Amino acid sequence: MKKQRKMNSALKRLIMTLMFLALSAVVLAGCASGSGSETANGDGKLKITATTGMIANVAAEVGGDDVVVTGLMGSGIDPHLYKASQGDVKKLDQADIIFYNGLHLEGKMGEMFEKLEKLKPTVAVSSQIPQSELHGNPNGDSTTHDPHIWFNVKLWMSATEVIRDTLMEKDPANEAGYKERAEAYLAKLEELDQYAREQMATIPEKGRILVTAHDAFGYFGAAYGLEVTGLQGMNTMSEYGSKDVSELRDFLVEKQIKAVFIESSVPRKSIDSVIEGAQKLGHVVTIGGELFSDAMGDPGTVEGTYIGMVKHNVDTIVNALK
């Protein structure tokens, strides 16, 4: 039976690999046909495809009425585990510009983006962040960095500038508009950064410990003065085990932490097991609230914007830990 399970697992991996290769070939074939060489919608507006909602939101803010923005990953979607669909292939094929996070956030899609870079503007918004400001992989992998850069608003300002500069280069006729809207949005991000700093400072110093389902808030903690720990690593593809649960449980008991947080894009069962373990040791832990980590809120809501998402997280953390 074990041998059969191993064979089935190997077969599944082979099928997944073949599907990915086939999908990449379709994308490249479509792009090579020239569909992305000019504005794809034919009305003079740049057609942009962005991977995450955070990137799509910035592109829409900076692009304004001069662009049409399509996002691949909606609310509640985990980009670490995301797999491109046939519909995504069409969106990538029709785009004039593709924006993605980079730093291996989008999993296996990274290989596709590297190939698309040769055919059309395919830009990692993290590309201009100095290496010295990127966090390493806590698992000791020196070849990768923590991709959750949007939780340091200053770093997200760099991503905004990359989007601005790309739009200005691709569409010089509307350069003034891109520059003006970017300046206005960057000013809002400055205010957001200051808001986060001021609010986090209201939490008693000994209570500035943020415990979440996965380690997505490293940049946030470093920027705004919190100790951060998660049950899973920074990538939700990594699995957690009983040892991880017991270690985090003991950490909660030792530090007398009263609240932990769930995430909109991560199943809460992982953090529930930690809470139950702490209760068995006589330490009561509650859910401090739901945070948006790898995805924003629903479209049309305040949390469905990058600024609204960050403010929600800040307010939720402060209310629970203050």
Side-chain angles (χ1 to χ4, degrees), residues 6 12 17 36 45 76 97 164 171 216:
K6 289 182 179 179
K12 288 180 180 179
T17 300
K45 294 185 178 183
I97 302 173
R164 175 202 63 198
D171 184 20

Side-chain angles (χ1 to χ4, degrees), residues 45-62:
K45 294 185 178 183
L46 286 179
K47 195 161 188 178
I48 297 171
T49 296
T51 53
T52 68
M54 292 78 77
I55 300 172
N57 182 228
V58 176
E61 290 284 350
V62 176

Side-chain angles (χ1 to χ4, degrees), residues 19-290:
M19 289 178 64
F20 174 75
L21 291 174
L23 193 59
S24 298
V26 172
V27 171
L28 295 175
C31 292
S33 68
S35 60
S37 59
E38 298 179 358
T39 51
N41 54 355
D43 61 1
K45 294 185 178 183
L46 286 179
K47 195 161 188 178
I48 297 171
T49 296
T51 53
T52 68
M54 292 78 77
I55 300 172
N57 182 228
V58 176
E61 290 284 350
V62 176
D65 292 335
D66 296 320
V67 302
V68 176
V69 180
T70 300
L72 298 184
M73 306 175 195
S75 59
I77 300 299
D78 183 349
H80 299 287
L81 304 177
Y82 190 78
K83 298 171 185 175
S85 67
Q86 287 291 342
D88 295 336
V89 171
K90 184 176 181 180
K91 294 171 185 175
L92 292 167
D93 178 33
Q94 293 180 340
D96 299 309
I97 302 173
I98 298 168
F99 289 118
Y100 67 105
N101 186 86
L103 301 175
H104 301 283
L105 176 72
E106 290 92 352
K108 291 184 177 180
M109 289 183 72
E111 299 174 23
M112 187 185 299
F113 296 139
E114 290 176 3
K115 296 176 182 177
L116 284 168
E117 286 176 357
K118 302 174 183 178
L119 301 169
K120 64 174 66 182
T122 304
V123 182
V125 299
S126 59
S127 60
Q128 296 304 311
I129 297 175
Q131 289 283 315
S132 60
E133 296 188 37
L134 294 174
H135 290 194
N137 189 327
N139 295 329
D141 182 357
S142 60
T143 64
T144 61
H145 294 91
D146 184 343
H148 303 88
I149 53 173
W150 56 91
F151 282 128
N152 180 333
V153 179
K154 289 289 188 183
L155 297 185
W156 205 237
M157 292 175 71
S158 174
T160 300
E161 291 168 349
V162 169
I163 291 173
R164 175 202 63 198
D165 294 346
T166 303
L167 295 180
M168 290 169 60
E169 179 181 357
K170 178 67 175 177
D171 184 20
N174 292 305
E175 177 179 332
Y178 296 135
K179 185 176 181 180
E180 180 180 352
R181 286 187 292 268
E183 287 179 355
Y185 191 65
L186 287 167
K188 291 180 181 179
L189 294 185
E190 284 279 11
E191 294 176 359
L192 177 64
D193 179 69
Q194 185 61 30
Y195 177 81
R197 295 179 190 281
E198 292 174 352
Q199 292 302 308
M200 289 301 145
T202 66
I203 303 174
E205 189 171 348
K206 67 178 182 180
R208 296 176 192 172
I209 303 176
L210 177 64
V211 179
T212 57
H214 93 292
D215 198 5
F217 292 87
Y219 289 104
F220 185 87
Y224 307 112
L226 282 83
E227 178 182 352
V228 176
T229 187
L231 177 59
Q232 284 178 276
M234 68 180 191
N235 190 329
T236 53
M237 293 180 69
S238 62
E239 297 182 358
Y240 67 92
S242 57
K243 181 181 179 182
D244 300 304
V245 172
S246 61
E247 287 180 349
L248 186 55
R249 174 204 64 196
D250 294 343
F251 178 79
L252 296 178
V253 175
E254 177 187 352
K255 299 288 186 179
Q256 288 296 293
I257 296 171
K258 301 296 184 181
V260 297
F261 298 85
I262 57 176
E263 300 171 43
S264 65
S265 56
V266 180
R268 63 171 289 169
K269 64 179 182 180
S270 58
I271 209 72
D272 283 340
S273 60
V274 177
I275 294 174
E276 292 170 3
Q279 288 177 335
K280 290 179 180 179
L281 296 179
H283 179 63
V284 178
V285 182
T286 61
I287 298 292
E290 182 181 63

